[in-house]
């Protein structure tokens, strides 16, 4: 898939919670034309006592989703061990999350470990980085694997109304100053459902390469990031609205 030419949707729940939840989600999302199914297996939580994700056993669940539903699978890798598991299981894409977005040693390792397969690596922007630092982070992966997608996911601001500030300006500069496709994670930028649709429209209108969106069968029951996840109905409305924007 040429990520620079096609509009990419990386969509799915914040976290894999059960086999049933990810199967239902992947099937629905595929029907809506989603190409890449996302689900966090190893969740990097702020609170060390919080639920840390299903862990290793969800790798097999996602592999089954890929085979049975016929959709590409992506997850967040947080260290060499989890990256190794994802690569062994033939994940189609992996991403480095915001919390590791300035972990240069790991970013370098990600490049090395994906050198042969050229697995696409989504490099999320660390939450308090400048454009230069974000592009620099991608550079560590690119030493060995330049199959990179940059993902803007909001930067820290002072207003408590949104989880982060969606920096479309910075993301646009990343797009025109690098050769990498740039996608935008509207869910982590907003931290709230009511902003997902309007911000997605803005992303499409600006000419970015795609969106990351968190979608859950029952967002209010989600184990993580419930406030920002949308249900299938809302996602279907988003797809229709974006189709109208050329
Ligand atoms: C995620 O995509 O699930 C996630 C944790 O995002 P971020 O690293 O951008 O906070
Ligand atoms: Mn999340």
């Amino acid at each position: 898939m040429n990520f620079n030419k096609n509009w990419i949707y990386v969509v799915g729940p914040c976290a894999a919670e059960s086999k049933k939840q990810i199967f239902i989600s992947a099937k629905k999302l595929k029907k809506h034309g989603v190409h890449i199914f996302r689900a966090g297996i190893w969740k990097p939580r702020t609170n060390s006592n919080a639920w840390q994700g299903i862990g290793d056993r969800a790798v097999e669940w996602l592999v089954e989703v890929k085979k049975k539903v016929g959709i590409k699978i992506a997850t967040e890798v947080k260290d060499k061990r989890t990256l190794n598991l994802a690569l062994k299981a033939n994940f189609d894409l992996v991403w480095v999350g915001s919390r590791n977005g300035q972990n240069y040693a790991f970013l370098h390792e990600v490049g090395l470990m994906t050198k042969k397969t050229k697995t696409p690596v989504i490099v999320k922007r660390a939450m308090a980085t400048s454009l230069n630092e974000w592009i620099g982070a991608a550079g560590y992966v690119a030493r060995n694997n330049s199959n990179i997608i940059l993902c803007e996911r909001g930067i820290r601001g002072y207003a408590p109304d949104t989880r982060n500030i969606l920096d479309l300006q910075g993301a646009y500069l990343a797009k025109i100053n690098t050769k990498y496709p740039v996608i935008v994670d509207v869910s982590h930028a907003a931290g709230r459902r009511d902003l997902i649709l309007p911000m997605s429209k803005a992303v499409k209108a600006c000419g970015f390469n795609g969106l990351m969106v968190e979608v859950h069968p029952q967002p209010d029951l989600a184990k993580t990031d419930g406030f920002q996840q949308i249900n299938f109905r809302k996602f279907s409305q988003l797809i229709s609205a974006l189709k109208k924007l050329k």
Side-chain angles (χ1 to χ4, degrees):
M1 182 185 266
N2 185 336
F3 299 117
N4 253 323
K5 290 221 171 102
N6 299 299
W7 173 256
I8 326 164
Y9 275 115
V10 184
V11 186
C14 177
E17 296 169 4
S18 70
K19 203 165 166 177
K20 188 172 167 202
Q21 170 233 16
I22 57 170
F23 264 90
I24 292 174
S25 304
K27 277 186 199 154
K28 279 267 187 199
L29 294 170
K30 191 185 174 183
K31 271 194 197 140
H32 288 307
V34 168
H35 331 100
I36 303 162
F37 181 67
R38 62 146 285 157
I41 295 176
W42 304 284
K43 297 303 297 175
R45 305 303 300 285
T46 305
N47 184 335
S48 60
N49 294 319
W51 182 69
Q52 305 283 309
I54 291 278
D56 300 1
R57 73 199 162 100
V59 170
E60 278 314 307
W61 299 352
L62 278 154
V63 169
E64 216 177 306
V65 159
K66 173 175 170 166
K67 274 195 209 133
K68 295 199 174 144
V69 180
I71 193 167
K72 291 187 193 302
I73 51 170
T75 198
E76 173 170 355
V77 289
K78 61 177 186 184
D79 49 25
K80 276 168 75 170
R81 193 190 76 84
T82 53
L83 174 59
N84 189 37
L85 287 176
L87 293 176
K88 272 208 316 222
N90 275 321
F91 270 63
D92 300 286
L93 294 92
V94 291
W95 81 80
V96 177
S98 190
R99 287 154 192 80
N100 260 322
Q102 273 196 299
N103 182 344
Y104 298 128
F106 180 53
L107 288 158
H108 176 64
E109 202 61 48
V110 172
L112 274 178
M113 287 173 70
T114 55
K115 184 175 180 167
K116 266 211 188 113
T117 51
K118 293 281 176 276
T119 304
V121 178
I122 301 175
V123 178
K124 283 195 156 201
R125 183 179 186 174
M127 53 191 86
T129 44
S130 66
L131 176 65
N132 207 26
E133 288 164 334
W134 181 22
I135 294 173
Y140 278 90
V141 180
R143 279 173 166 179
N144 291 290
N145 176 12
S146 57
N147 200 0
I148 288 168
I149 298 168
L150 296 175
C151 179
E152 156 65 19
R153 47 76 74 202
I155 47 172
R156 274 271 158 84
Y158 57 82
D161 317 284
T162 56
R163 187 172 179 181
N164 291 293
I165 308 250
L166 176 54
D167 183 17
L168 287 183
Q169 300 181 128
Y172 199 81
L173 289 174
K175 180 145 178 62
I176 57 179
N177 284 300
T178 70
K179 58 183 187 309
Y180 306 125
V182 179
I183 64 170
V184 178
D185 172 350
V186 281
S187 305
H188 290 88
R192 47 189 289 167
R193 270 170 228 158
D194 52 356
L195 294 178
I196 303 301
L197 178 61
M199 293 308 107
S200 299
K201 285 183 182 167
V203 170
K204 180 89 192 262
C206 285
F208 287 105
N209 300 93
L211 276 179
M212 184 181 273
V213 190
E214 286 187 338
V215 177
H216 191 284
Q218 292 170 288
D220 288 328
L221 302 181
K223 283 190 172 223
T224 54
D225 287 350
F227 288 133
Q228 69 194 34
Q229 302 206 59
I230 56 173
N231 61 23
F232 302 128
R233 189 175 52 81
K234 286 262 180 260
F235 183 68
S236 150
Q237 289 167 359
L238 184 154
I239 291 264
S240 312
L242 264 54
K243 269 188 190 146
K244 290 184 195 140
L245 295 175
K246 273 289 156 207

